[in-house]
Amino acid sequence: MPLNRRTFLERSAAAGAGVAIVGSTAVPAEAKEAIAEGSGSGRPPKRYSFTVMGTTDLHGNVFNWDYFTDKEFDDRDRNDVGLAKISTLVDQIRAEKGRRNTLLIDAGDTIQGTQLSYYYAKVDPITARRGPVHPMAQAMNAIGYDAAALGNHEFNYGIPVLRKFEEQCDFPLLGANALDAKTLRPAFAPYSMHRLRTPCGRDVKVAVLGLTNPGIAIWDKANVQGKMTFPGLEEQAAKWVPKLRSMGADVVIVSAHSGSSGTSSYGDQLPYIENAAGLVAEQVPGIDAILVGHAHTEIAEYFVTNKETGKQVLLSEPLKWGQRLTLFDFDLVWSKGRWTVEKAAAKVLNSNTVAEDPKITRLLGDEHTKVVAYVNQVIGTCTTTITTVAAPWKDEPIIDLINHVQAETVKTALAGGQYAALPVLSQASCFSRTAAIPAGQVTLKDAAGLYVFENTLEARLLTGAQLKDYLEFSARYYVQTPAGAPVDTAKLTNAGNTPDYNYDAVSGVTYEIDIAKPGGSRIVNLSYDGKPIDAAAQFVLAVNNYRASGGGNFPHVARSQQLWANSEEIRNTIISWVQAKGAVDPAQFATVGWKLTREGTPVF
């Protein structure tokens, strides 16, 4: 339901009052007057410093645990993850600075990403009658968050789950550009106002404006179409920042679930920029700092000059999953009857430097144990071990498994209909380079680890010419490597910062990718059933909803005709397939449909 004005004002006031009361010091009225008059009397100006801590893209990580490998999280950089670690860092900063001199905010993507968060959205949902409290709400409440912006993944499980999560949080979920589709009024609180009491007798009012990602309109179209609309970040920031200043905000901080690069992964599908945080800083006057999210990159401290005022706006993005905690440090001075920011700086703290907070691990120990048992269910067997280790540069059976299940599902769905006779192709990406299905018993976590996103499946109609364009676009993933030059797999992929999830292998056809050629002219010998593909021929592509809605900006597919769509996650489709078959045998589905070449010679 749209937030009415009275509820919103009450909620914002409550958020501010909660901060103001903690550790407050009473200051006589006479002292306050003296401060107001004394700033121009030759005495040193009054100063006050405070710290805003920030996280983003937590993606359901409470513990330093990987539910897909069933062991403590680890990566090559020795990072740790989870709110239990963040809680320890937060306690340290509050002890150092004084709790009354700190705020804690988040920039979104909170309730999706791990099997822990999936379990409480789908298996034991928080929306059930007398349902549980979401683990992320429990942890963030216990840590004492003051506000959080909405991320695009907040909408993955539908609006009812998000509303229930919002209800369970002791802090506001902010989204100034998440509007009710009918009234065009904010569907969530646009901002929260926090009052920090200073020893100087003049409170500091800190406004936190929340902005989310306009890509929600296409990535979660099934969940939000006709219900909510998501205009651009710059547009809404320009509307709200002056209002916050007129309400007496001394400091304005934006919590933006939007990267800083000014780019979009969905091309011209929407007239708004996906990664617009830098543009907001540049174009909207009156902002002191922006907590950046969405891009899953680490930006400790970055300044953008506002074009209108010439002021330096401070940006920081902590690394995803609770790997880092941003600290914004603000130094204020009392001048001309108000507080102004004299200096601002930012840095990030690494969560691998501290232990998990036992307060959090005790609080959610039962939920963790329940989910570990869930993911360790045996659902079948496998004849041999298959892994994704080489999948980014070789056609591997484990990716063939995804494509086989998807193609089989679409063929069944289209059987007996107008398009039943068309060839069904399928796309899949290597989402994790450490996924594996072992020989012997296969557990739910093994199968789920192949598909770590909650994507659903669609069938789209493409021509042979469009398919060629699609594959050429995908092949930009490889670094151009001349014939005869050494090939280092550690440097071969991710050209132009293309992530693994935006490289698609397509099954059902055969083709070569000549990495010696420049991007756009790499696809060689594209064939179907042993014959070169006719540009006008029609094919059905089994494709995930992210790609079908424009994610990754692949050509043609987002505008192609939809023949069928499913609401079940592809991950669950794979799990159900393994359970139904009982045994996974790569000999029944694995083929070498594509390979890397240079001037006709295979690279591997």
Side-chain angles (χ1 to χ4, degrees):
M1 293 294 292
L3 194 66
N4 66 52
R5 182 175 182 274
R6 179 178 177 183
T7 304
F8 168 59
L9 291 176
E10 289 174 351
R11 184 180 298 178
S12 296
V19 176
I21 293 170
V22 175
S24 62
T25 303
V27 180
E30 296 83 358
K32 293 183 180 181
E33 293 300 323
I35 291 166
E37 298 301 324
S39 58
S41 63
R43 287 178 287 178
K46 303 297 181 182
R47 286 186 163 83
Y48 173 69
S49 299
F50 72 98
T51 297
V52 176
M53 298 173 281
T55 55
T56 190
D57 296 279
L58 293 169
H59 283 289
N61 286 280
V62 173
F63 300 93
N64 187 40
W65 194 260
D66 186 341
Y67 292 95
F68 291 125
T69 61
D70 198 25
K71 60 185 179 182
E72 185 174 301
F73 176 87
D74 196 17
D75 65 13
R76 64 185 180 185
D77 297 320
R78 315 304 297 176
N79 287 307
D80 287 346
V81 300
L83 279 170
K85 291 263 185 173
I86 291 295
S87 182
T88 302
L89 290 175
V90 168
D91 284 348
Q92 289 180 353
I93 298 303
R94 284 172 174 162
E96 176 188 343
K97 308 281 187 179
R99 179 156 185 159
R100 68 174 185 168
N101 302 318
T102 64
L103 294 173
L104 175 60
I105 63 176
D106 183 80
D109 274 5
T110 303
I111 60 172
Q112 174 277 339
T114 64
Q115 285 293 286
L116 180 71
S117 54
Y118 177 84
Y119 188 89
Y120 288 98
K122 291 286 191 177
V123 182
D124 185 12
I126 61 174
T127 49
R129 189 168 178 236
R130 298 180 182 176
V133 177
H134 198 289
M136 294 300 287
Q138 291 192 59
M140 295 175 82
N141 289 342
I143 296 169
Y145 273 78
D146 295 292
L150 294 163
N152 53 285
H153 284 288
E154 259 66 85
F155 294 84
N156 285 174
Y157 298 121
I159 292 174
V161 170
L162 175 54
R163 287 300 190 192
K164 188 64 178 179
F165 175 70
E166 178 188 30
E167 178 186 315
Q168 294 176 341
C169 291
D170 294 340
F171 51 91
L173 299 183
L174 308 177
N177 61 329
L179 309 181
D180 180 274
K182 294 180 180 178
T183 67
L184 297 183
R185 294 178 179 176
F188 295 84
Y191 67 90
S192 58
M193 191 74 77
H194 308 267
R195 189 180 294 272
L196 303 181
R197 291 199 176 169
T198 77
C200 305
R202 284 286 183 174
D203 295 348
V204 172
K205 292 178 71 175
V206 181
V208 179
L209 178 68
L211 296 171
T212 192
N213 205 290
I216 295 165
I218 55 174
W219 299 326
D220 269 300
K221 181 178 180 179
N223 290 328
V224 302
Q225 188 173 34
K227 300 174 184 175
M228 293 185 191
T229 185
F230 302 88
L233 283 83
E234 308 101 299
E235 169 192 322
Q236 293 300 302
K239 172 183 177 180
W240 283 101
V241 171
K243 291 184 179 181
L244 296 175
R245 289 294 185 182
S246 69
M247 293 166 61
D250 300 297
V251 181
V252 173
I253 299 168
V254 174
S255 183
H257 193 75
S258 180
S260 62
S261 65
T263 61
S264 288
S265 66
Y266 48 80
D268 60 358
Q269 295 298 300
L270 277 180
Y272 308 118
I273 299 297
E274 175 184 354
N275 296 302
L279 296 175
V280 170
E282 181 182 83
Q283 297 176 12
V284 181
I287 298 169
D288 294 293
I290 301 179
L291 176 65
V292 179
H294 182 63
H296 289 204
T297 58
E298 181 177 334
I299 304 172
E301 182 183 70
Y302 176 53
F303 288 94
V304 173
T305 303
N306 184 267
K307 284 186 174 181
E308 182 173 326
T309 65
K311 179 182 174 180
Q312 295 289 292
V313 182
L314 175 61
L315 280 68
S316 181
E317 180 177 6
L319 201 57
K320 64 187 185 298
W321 304 346
Q323 295 178 18
R324 303 288 186 273
L325 176 71
T326 278
L327 301 186
F328 290 107
D329 290 313
F330 297 97
D331 295 333
L332 275 59
V333 63
W334 180 260
S335 176
K336 298 179 180 179
R338 57 167 295 187
W339 290 106
T340 57
V341 176
E342 187 176 47
K343 180 183 177 183
K347 62 181 179 181
V348 294
L349 303 182
N350 195 327
S351 66
N352 71 6
T353 62
V354 296
E356 292 185 314
D357 186 344
K359 171 183 64 180
I360 303 301
T361 57
R362 283 195 303 266
L363 177 68
L364 291 161
D366 290 346
E367 286 84 347
H368 173 70
T369 300
K370 188 182 293 185
V371 174
V372 167
Y374 164 73
V375 300
N376 279 287
Q377 297 176 71
V378 175
I379 60 172
T381 61
C382 189
T383 59
T384 186
T385 298
I386 52 178
T387 76
T388 56
V389 172
W393 54 86
K394 291 175 66 177
D395 188 348
E396 291 286 271
I398 198 164
I399 304 299
D400 290 339
L401 173 60
I402 299 173
N403 275 327
H404 179 75
V405 172
Q406 291 182 164
E408 195 174 84
T409 302
V410 168
K411 286 176 184 176
T412 300
L414 298 180
Q418 177 183 355
Y419 302 98
L422 291 181
V424 176
L425 316 180
S426 179
Q427 62 79 221
S429 304
C430 177
F431 293 133
S432 167
R433 297 195 181 196
T434 59
I437 291 182
Q441 290 187 333
V442 178
T443 63
L444 187 147
K445 75 174 185 292
D446 298 326
L450 296 184
Y451 219 105
V452 297
F453 297 107
E454 277 79 40
N455 293 337
T456 57
L457 188 61
E458 296 190 17
R460 295 287 182 127
L461 188 65
L462 293 181
T463 66
Q466 290 173 332
L467 174 64
K468 174 78 157 39
D469 291 344
Y470 188 99
L471 291 171
E472 287 286 7
F473 185 84
S474 185
R476 79 200 194 290
Y477 173 73
Y478 295 105
V479 173
Q480 187 173 4
T481 310
V487 176
D488 181 356
T489 56
K491 299 177 182 178
L492 177 63
T493 62
N494 307 105
N497 295 317
T498 301
D500 291 347
Y501 63 78
N502 273 341
Y503 170 66
D504 287 358
V506 174
S507 72
V509 291
T510 58
Y511 57 97
E512 299 171 13
I513 302 173
D514 190 334
I515 60 173
K517 295 182 177 181
S521 59
R522 291 179 168 178
I523 302 301
V524 181
N525 298 327
L526 175 60
S527 303
Y528 173 73
D529 199 21
K531 300 176 182 178
I533 284 181
D534 184 341
Q538 290 187 317
F539 297 89
V540 176
L541 181 66
V543 60
N544 69 55
N545 68 304
Y546 172 76
R547 188 72 77 236
S549 62
N553 199 24
F554 276 62
H556 307 304
V557 66
R559 291 188 172 88
S560 64
Q561 182 180 349
Q562 183 190 77
L563 307 182
W564 172 84
N566 190 10
S567 61
E568 181 180 66
E569 292 95 343
I570 294 170
R571 176 166 61 205
N572 285 344
T573 302
I574 296 170
I575 291 168
S576 297
W577 186 91
V578 174
Q579 288 175 320
K581 294 290 184 181
V584 177
D585 183 1
Q588 296 180 357
F589 57 79
T591 61
V592 179
W594 63 273
K595 57 188 173 184
L596 301 185
T597 61
R598 289 184 293 184
E599 298 179 356
T601 302
V603 176
F604 302 104

